[in-house]
Amino acid sequence: MFRLVAPLLLIFVPAFGQAEVELSFYGGVQEAPHSNVTVDRPGTASDRDFTAGWEGNSFDAPPHYGLRATWWRDDDLGFGLDFNHTKVYADDGTLADEGLDTLEFTDGLNILTLNAYRRFPDAAYGLTPYVGGGLGVAVPRVEYDDGQGRTDEYQLTGPAVALMAGASYEVTDSVSVFGEYKGTYSQNEADLVGGGTLESDIVTNALNLGVSFNF
């Protein structure tokens, strides 16, 4: 997925002209609450409608990470592109209860959003708090195996929303560090090998630490 996002950043950044441009890279700890999963297998007895328990396993390869490019039009208002490699695995209880071999999005839910940000420079102790949010799409690697055929491929599965709030600290004129909460919501409808669809609306919550480079 990084090979798809990097060209977008290379196109996006030069368009900012003389504005302040910030490139950020982050990682952290991510989890996801339970969500409903609906599987429709026409003409078979493999339809399912159940609640999945998800595990984030943030540090298992590939780890949870993200990158973003932000164009600060002035001191407090910015716009940007954000790619978030977040992921979920169905827990062992879910797999056992449903008789599934695999249910996961572990090469990422891969949330890509266009965001708007508001920051509050030098609010206190050299910190710059910020909030942001955006709309985009989910492009997960869908991995599902119920014995009717194994699905293991990237798909564009639906719309996504991202929200974040945090604070940054300037280390030098061109480098800063930051910590934030980031949440995502994605509506996913995936096509399954062997026919049918899998649907689930997934929420993720993450605490991130990162570094930004300003130009």
Side-chain angles (χ1 to χ4, degrees):
M1 284 304 298
F2 180 79
R3 292 194 300 271
L4 297 178
V5 175
L8 288 175
L9 294 179
L10 292 176
I11 293 170
F12 199 61
V13 171
F16 295 149
Q18 299 304 311
E20 179 189 349
V21 176
E22 186 175 68
L23 297 180
S24 303
F25 306 87
Y26 59 88
V29 178
Q30 169 254 309
E31 63 177 18
H34 292 28
S35 68
N36 189 71
V37 176
T38 301
V39 177
D40 182 13
R41 289 284 203 183
T44 75
S46 297
D47 288 357
R48 289 179 168 84
D49 190 348
F50 61 95
T51 298
W54 299 114
E55 297 177 347
N57 297 341
S58 303
F59 303 111
D60 290 356
H64 167 73
Y65 70 89
L67 59 156
R68 66 175 64 121
T70 306
W71 170 37
W72 291 104
R73 295 188 57 186
D74 51 37
D75 285 343
D76 58 9
L77 182 63
F79 301 93
L81 180 70
D82 184 290
F83 172 76
N84 191 190
H85 179 90
T86 190
K87 57 183 184 171
V88 291
Y89 304 68
D91 61 26
D92 290 341
T94 298
L95 296 178
D97 289 346
E98 296 301 319
L100 299 174
D101 292 325
T102 307
L103 170 58
E104 57 191 56
F105 301 90
T106 52
D107 254 348
L109 279 170
N110 300 322
I111 308 297
L112 182 65
T113 55
L114 288 172
N115 297 340
Y117 304 94
R118 177 71 185 273
R119 65 182 177 182
F120 308 89
D122 300 323
Y125 306 106
L127 295 174
T128 298
Y130 62 88
V131 294
L135 301 174
V137 293
V139 192
R141 182 172 176 177
V142 181
E143 298 180 61
Y144 179 77
D145 189 352
D146 60 0
Q148 302 295 316
R150 178 178 173 82
T151 303
D152 187 355
E153 61 188 16
Y154 290 101
Q155 297 186 30
L156 176 64
T157 56
V161 176
L163 298 171
M164 66 287 297
S168 65
Y169 180 81
E170 187 176 275
V171 179
T172 70
D173 288 343
S174 59
V175 178
S176 59
V177 294
F178 65 92
E180 69 177 20
Y181 162 79
K182 182 172 185 181
T184 71
Y185 168 77
S186 59
Q187 294 181 339
N188 300 279
E189 181 176 350
D191 296 324
L192 299 177
V193 170
T197 59
L198 180 152
E199 297 182 43
S200 188
D201 296 350
I202 300 175
V203 173
T204 69
N205 297 292
L207 294 176
N208 298 320
L209 296 175
V211 59
S212 297
F213 302 91
N214 303 292
F215 303 91

